[in-house]
Amino acid sequence: MRPYKSPNYNQRTGQIKYLIMHYTGMSSGQEALERLCDEKSAVSAHYLIEEDGEVFSLVDEHRRAWHAGLSKWENDQDINDLSIGIEIVNSGHPFEGYESIYKEFPQKQMEAVLELSKIIINRHNIKPWHILGHSDVAWRRKIDPGELFNWQWLSDHGVGIYSDMEIDQADVEIGAPEIGEFLQKLEKYGYDIEGCYNKPRELITAFQRHFRQTNIDGELDSQTVAIIDYLLNVKFS
Ligand SMILES: [Zn+2]
């Protein structure tokens, strides 16, 4: 692990309970490192992981790094104060004024993510349902680390939760009354559902981006419902 110190942090006042995954969304790892260490950017993370698996340590874990921004999970609104943030080098999705082809995360990089995550989880006793993407805790603003981030592989190797159940009627569309019920379940799991009842598509997409990566169409179907039921069962059993 290479130190590459960022000045962008302050005192932590809470206990670490979350691990938050990001992608850098820039054209190179070097560019991302420079931004995360630039005082003017006012952003940072505890770690950055290069495509070849090299790990940089930017902020000490006992300090509060600035990676999550405006965010919420369960009743926690200051995720930075309660989390470790990992930036994973990936050029990310394109957006207006930024051209990019969103690509899979190389295996070497994922292995480094896995190894580092295991250490962090053990050190701070982080629960599997508190290992989240930026898009889970800030779904109105963020889509990283995205649908190509291999949560399933991480879960298979002991980091986080992913349901790989096979459901026959995956494409059965679910009616409007069930959408309210589904949103209640998302809230119980931790998502911020405020103001969602009229336009839940964006939140459903965010949920699928993490937990049903093969299809992120934002439609509520029986498989998506079965997955939240599975997650709730794991969290509350
Ligand atoms: Zn992010």
Side-chain angles (χ1 to χ4, degrees):
M1 187 173 314
R2 224 193 311 164
Y4 201 103
K5 291 303 165 194
S6 170
N8 300 331
Y9 62 81
N10 57 353
Q11 278 314 113
R12 206 190 263 292
T13 59
Q15 191 101 44
I16 294 162
K17 61 192 262 201
Y18 296 105
L19 174 58
I20 307 294
M21 305 289 188
H22 303 259
Y23 67 44
T24 50
M26 298 184 85
S27 51
S28 75
Q30 187 56 40
E31 206 182 321
L33 271 177
E34 280 165 24
R35 178 168 150 78
L36 293 165
C37 294
D38 179 359
E39 222 170 331
K40 289 194 280 301
S41 76
V43 293
S44 62
H46 296 91
Y47 300 99
L48 176 141
I49 302 182
E50 267 285 6
E51 286 171 306
D52 65 1
E54 185 170 20
V55 179
F56 292 85
S57 160
L58 280 60
V59 175
D60 286 343
E61 288 187 6
H62 67 277
R63 310 263 195 215
R64 179 180 177 276
W66 304 336
H67 56 95
L70 194 63
S71 50
K72 192 170 181 225
W73 193 258
E74 296 171 0
N75 290 317
D76 296 320
Q77 307 227 39
D78 187 348
I79 301 297
N80 280 340
D81 203 45
L82 305 169
S83 66
I84 301 286
I86 303 181
E87 284 283 357
I88 302 153
V89 174
N90 184 297
S91 57
H93 298 81
F95 54 85
E96 215 187 320
Y98 174 69
E99 277 182 42
S100 168
I101 298 164
Y102 179 47
K103 288 195 271 324
E104 285 192 21
F105 296 75
Q107 189 57 27
K108 270 232 176 286
Q109 188 179 34
M110 289 305 294
E111 277 162 16
V113 171
L114 178 70
E115 197 184 331
L116 178 61
S117 297
K118 281 185 170 174
I119 293 168
I120 293 168
I121 291 161
N122 287 331
R123 188 181 287 149
H124 303 288
N125 192 24
I126 296 173
K127 305 286 179 236
W129 45 87
H130 283 167
I131 299 163
L132 298 164
H134 200 187
S135 61
D136 294 310
V137 300
W139 61 266
R140 291 178 180 81
R141 303 182 298 116
K142 295 292 177 181
I143 58 172
D144 65 306
E147 64 277 10
L148 295 179
F149 184 70
N150 203 338
W151 289 108
Q152 181 167 8
W153 182 82
L154 286 178
S155 166
D156 288 346
H157 292 82
V159 169
I161 310 175
Y162 196 92
S163 153
D164 57 358
M165 62 173 81
E166 282 181 31
I167 286 132
D168 294 340
Q169 293 172 303
D171 285 333
V172 177
E173 224 179 283
I174 306 284
E178 281 83 3
I179 287 181
E181 204 180 306
F182 178 73
L183 292 176
Q184 296 292 330
K185 288 176 180 175
L186 286 188
E187 185 174 43
K188 195 171 175 206
Y189 195 63
Y191 283 91
D192 175 18
I193 66 158
E194 206 191 317
C196 264
Y197 282 90
N198 293 325
K199 44 183 185 82
R201 178 178 282 270
E202 209 186 329
L203 175 56
I204 293 170
T205 305
F207 175 74
Q208 293 169 337
R209 213 183 278 289
H210 181 158
F211 294 106
R212 210 275 298 269
Q213 298 185 309
T214 50
N215 180 358
I216 56 162
D217 62 2
E219 298 285 348
L220 188 58
D221 54 44
S222 51
Q223 188 178 33
T224 304
V225 173
I227 291 168
I228 190 66
D229 287 341
Y230 170 86
L231 296 175
L232 287 171
N233 196 36
V234 172
K235 182 172 177 180
F236 294 106
S237 66

